[in-house]
Amino acid sequence: QERLVESGGGLVQPGGSLRLSCVSSRITFNVYNMGWYRQVPGKQRELVATVAADGTANYADSAKGRFTISRDNAKNTVYLQMDNLKPEDTAVYYCKAERIAVWWGQGTQVTVSS
């Protein structure tokens, strides 16, 4: 059983929105720093946004003003609200949990295309 499971990806037109979810299990979610990363074929995985255990959020420049990361410790879930999506946002999006151990989800595909 995976510790992190992402959902919410799909096909959306430019300018549209998606909300990604990452549900965790078998980790003490509230003490983990959580993050969203993305990767396109042939490129390195890159940071999109992180939210620390204390709720502090940070964003890549490409995400600032368009994406919002949040966490619900009661639901062991981290979210990524993505608005005003652009074709260059097309990627597989991965959830990451980090404290001492590091866990990755299996990824969810986001495709932005008309």
Side-chain angles (χ1 to χ4, degrees):
Q1 184 181 4
E2 298 292 336
R3 283 178 169 80
L4 301 174
V5 179
E6 301 99 332
S7 63
L11 174 63
V12 63
Q13 292 187 342
S17 298
L18 283 175
R19 187 194 196 201
L20 306 183
S21 300
C22 172
V23 180
S24 69
S25 61
R26 298 191 294 144
I27 65 172
T28 307
F29 180 81
N30 62 298
V31 302
Y32 274 77
N33 300 317
M34 302 298 298
W36 286 98
Y37 293 72
R38 66 188 183 187
Q39 189 170 23
V40 298
K43 293 190 176 182
Q44 287 189 333
R45 193 169 296 186
E46 65 177 14
L47 169 72
V48 177
T50 61
V51 59
D54 67 1
T56 302
N58 284 288
Y59 298 90
D61 287 344
S62 60
K64 288 178 181 177
R66 299 188 300 126
F67 295 0
T68 303
I69 190 170
S70 61
R71 64 190 297 159
D72 186 335
N73 290 340
K75 296 183 178 180
N76 293 339
T77 301
V78 61
Y79 304 98
L80 185 68
Q81 176 67 41
M82 303 188 294
D83 298 318
N84 190 23
L85 282 160
K86 303 175 182 180
E88 52 263 43
D89 295 317
T90 296
V92 178
Y93 283 70
Y94 296 90
C95 176
K96 177 185 177 184
E98 181 173 8
R99 190 190 179 196
I100 298 174
V102 177
W103 304 104
W104 289 94
Q106 83 290 350
T108 185
Q109 176 70 47
V110 171
T111 302
V112 185
S113 175
S114 55

